[in-house]
Amino acid sequence: MCPQSDIAKLDLDSLWHPLTQHRGLETRLPREIVSGEGVFLTDIQNQRLLDGVSGLWCVNVGYGREELADVAHEQMKKLSYLPATLVHAPSAMLAGKLIDMLGYPGKVYFTSSGSEANEVAFKIARQYHLQTGSPGRYKIIARYRGYHGNTLGALSATGQAERKIGYGPLAAGFLHVAAPDLYRNDGDAAAELEETIEREGAETVAAFIMEPIIAGGGVLMPPDDYLKRVREICDRHGVLLILDEVVTALGRVGAAFAHELYGAEPDILTLGKGLASGYQPLAATVSKQHIFEAFEGEPDELNHLRHVNTYGGHPVATAVGLRNIEIMEREELFDRSTKTGDALLARLRGLEDHPNVGDVRGRGLLLGVELVENKKEKTPLDASRVASIVAHCARNHVIIGKTTSATPGYSNVLILAPPLVLSEDESDQLATAIEQAIAKELPNPS
Ligand SMILES: Cc1ncc(COP(=O)(O)O)c(C=O)c1O
């Protein structure tokens, strides 16, 4: 091991960081983080930082759970690896648990990232149609401002232009419609979906993919009936509904799955992040039984799903995932997310009197604060002024997020997604940091 003082140099010399401009990074490189406990990270100078975004919105049960380390340790000693073509208990047990929680029959395919979970969903949707007599259905409709991952298929589904510049041509067959946004409230997004399906020709459309609440794109809240209407539209036109719950599931918005809150079920569901709370890289694609059954056939045909990955269903990852869900249930973290989130939302709504705070919104512990130049026009606040709020919080040892490299002109939403174990005091600390940052960085002339 290197002495800690050498880590920053090694990092700068050798690592390529995501979403980071490296020029001048030596003056901006964050201090090395050495440990985590609950909602706090500790850096090399022993400074504690409140992590208001759970890493990348994934450490739902909080940092430093020895119980999860023990499960990983035991599993590594017993059976460190097995491909998903073979049978082992942790992956069967986690799959069974997820199907039980969902309450309908289906099958789980494990991957190690949310992006790949969505790739699998697209492949399943297309092959399903091929094998049920609709080979012309290949198009995937997604939404502007939605995020579905970084691999070329998932990026093609992503509706955030700034993430795609320079990486084209992307995968063919992906198109986009508007997502609803209760704050900007511009048009009937469900009706637009149906018109698009009709204009494209329903017989060419395989699936519609959406996040129940757009997360990284700006915590965009849908009307309560939107998902139900989408479900009906998909059913009417034979289009499969893929719900990307990589962020919203496993307690993030106060339920096991966000779609429970909106009263409609997907044909295919994708999970990630909170599934193992970031203790292991784990994601999943869950297909309803009727989808799965379309893949039945003779062993020498090609009807089976022909996707494989070395680490899908990894015994250590799935063992940790299972215990992670048991912790969530034992500690009633889904309810806690709702209660803590409601209180934090109510407090932050106090900011809405400020001329630059256009909207404060969210569900459970996924919250957004939309900053504007002008409340009447809802003109987004300039990205550098939004960044100054995030930086102010960081100087006060509180990490918050914001929309970044997403939709041109809309890097204006502060995002909070703290671990679900956030206490009242910690929630106060988070809210205070944001209130102070807004008061200091965006002085209110009135
Ligand atoms: C809604 C959503 N889907 C998919 C992904 C991709 O997951 P991963 O980064 O694990 O590939 C993300 C990641 O942020 C996400 O927010």
Side-chain angles (χ1 to χ4, degrees):
M1 282 286 286
C2 285
Q4 304 283 19
S5 54
D6 289 349
I7 294 295
K9 178 168 175 3
L10 254 185
D11 181 298
L12 286 165
D13 286 350
S14 335
L15 267 177
W16 195 331
H17 291 273
L19 299 176
T20 300
Q21 175 47 260
H22 275 247
R23 181 183 286 174
L25 186 59
E26 54 287 357
T27 61
R28 288 179 280 118
L29 191 72
R31 279 207 293 262
E32 183 193 341
I33 303 293
V34 290
S35 63
E37 183 70 39
V39 304
F40 289 100
L41 295 169
T42 301
D43 74 18
I44 182 88
Q45 294 185 2
N46 221 15
Q47 178 62 59
R48 280 184 2 135
L49 312 166
L50 195 165
D51 183 359
V53 283
S54 306
L56 279 181
W57 322 359
C58 56
V59 189
N60 288 15
V61 298
Y63 295 96
R65 296 265 187 181
E66 264 181 47
E67 186 178 348
L68 293 179
D70 291 344
V71 166
H73 183 203
E74 289 309 315
Q75 185 58 46
M76 275 188 205
K77 284 196 294 186
K78 201 165 161 196
L79 178 65
S80 56
Y81 173 77
L82 206 67
T85 42
L86 298 180
V87 178
H88 62 85
S91 133
M93 286 169 75
L94 180 59
K97 177 74 189 168
L98 289 171
I99 294 300
D100 195 45
M101 288 166 78
L102 282 162
Y104 50 76
K107 293 285 182 289
V108 180
Y109 186 98
F110 288 115
T111 59
S112 37
S113 77
S115 301
E116 193 189 357
N118 285 330
E119 299 288 349
V120 173
F122 302 145
K123 289 166 94 171
I124 289 176
R126 286 180 173 171
Q127 193 179 344
Y128 166 86
H129 287 297
L130 176 71
Q131 291 171 190
T132 52
S134 304
R137 287 185 182 265
Y138 66 92
K139 292 177 190 163
I140 312 278
I141 304 180
R143 304 184 305 173
Y144 291 110
R145 302 196 70 173
Y147 182 73
H148 300 296
N150 56 13
T151 47
L152 284 178
L155 187 62
S156 306
T158 292
Q160 304 177 349
E162 290 181 358
R163 294 200 187 270
K164 306 189 192 189
I165 297 166
Y167 305 130
L170 297 179
F174 288 83
L175 56 150
H176 296 85
V177 294
D181 171 1
L182 281 180
Y183 174 54
R184 290 175 188 273
N185 202 13
D186 39 13
D188 182 342
E192 184 186 328
L193 169 65
E194 183 150 38
E195 276 165 32
T196 303
I197 293 172
E198 286 167 353
R199 286 194 189 129
E200 291 290 325
E203 68 285 359
T204 68
V205 181
F208 176 57
I209 181 165
M210 55 167 273
E211 300 161 77
I213 296 173
I214 285 187
V219 191
L220 303 188
M221 302 302 294
D224 284 342
D225 66 345
Y226 172 78
L227 184 58
K228 267 198 193 143
R229 287 181 64 203
V230 163
R231 179 70 269 179
E232 286 162 15
I233 292 165
C234 288
D235 287 344
R236 223 170 7 252
H237 297 283
V239 171
L240 298 183
L241 174 58
I242 304 171
L243 285 185
D244 177 343
E245 291 224 35
V246 168
V247 172
T248 53
L250 282 316
R252 174 54 56 205
V253 301
F257 308 102
H259 65 264
E260 288 173 3
L261 303 171
Y262 292 107
E265 291 171 358
D267 297 297
I268 305 173
L269 170 72
T270 58
L271 305 170
K273 301 201 187 258
L275 187 54
S277 284
Y279 282 78
Q280 286 284 298
L282 181 65
T285 309
V286 188
S287 302
K288 268 199 172 160
Q289 193 66 12
H290 71 280
I291 305 291
F292 171 75
E293 282 169 5
F295 290 70
E296 282 179 5
E298 299 303 322
D300 56 351
E301 294 169 352
L302 289 177
N303 282 14
H304 53 284
L305 179 62
R306 279 161 284 114
H307 188 91
V308 64
N309 41 13
T310 306
Y311 298 124
H314 194 289
V316 178
T318 46
V320 168
L322 184 61
R323 184 62 67 87
N324 170 61
I325 293 178
E326 286 166 8
I327 291 173
M328 290 175 168
E329 289 180 338
R330 195 171 70 217
E331 299 184 9
E332 299 180 347
L333 292 184
F334 303 159
D335 283 349
R336 192 160 158 185
S337 169
T338 304
K339 285 187 194 119
T340 315
D342 284 353
L344 184 54
L345 183 65
R347 163 126 179 223
L348 292 174
R349 285 216 159 120
L351 286 166
E352 282 180 333
D353 291 338
H354 189 286
N356 296 116
V357 178
D359 192 35
V360 180
R361 56 183 177 247
R363 193 151 189 171
L365 279 170
L366 178 62
L367 304 175
V369 177
E370 178 148 0
L371 300 174
V372 291
E373 299 283 358
N374 168 325
K375 274 190 158 158
K376 196 150 169 277
E377 311 291 331
K378 301 183 181 172
T379 323
L381 192 69
D382 184 73
S384 62
R385 298 180 73 198
V386 181
S388 74
I389 307 288
V390 177
H392 193 107
C393 289
R395 286 196 296 279
N396 286 328
H397 316 303
V398 171
I399 302 171
I400 65 166
K402 69 174 188 67
T403 40
T404 305
S405 311
T407 307
Y410 284 85
S411 292
N412 69 321
V413 182
L414 304 176
I415 301 182
L416 300 180
L420 311 183
V421 293
L422 188 79
S423 70
E424 243 177 73
D425 282 355
E426 292 156 355
S427 179
D428 281 348
Q429 187 183 341
L430 187 53
T432 304
I434 294 172
E435 287 161 359
Q436 287 178 351
I438 289 181
K440 254 293 187 305
E441 301 294 329
L442 305 174
N444 184 348
S446 63

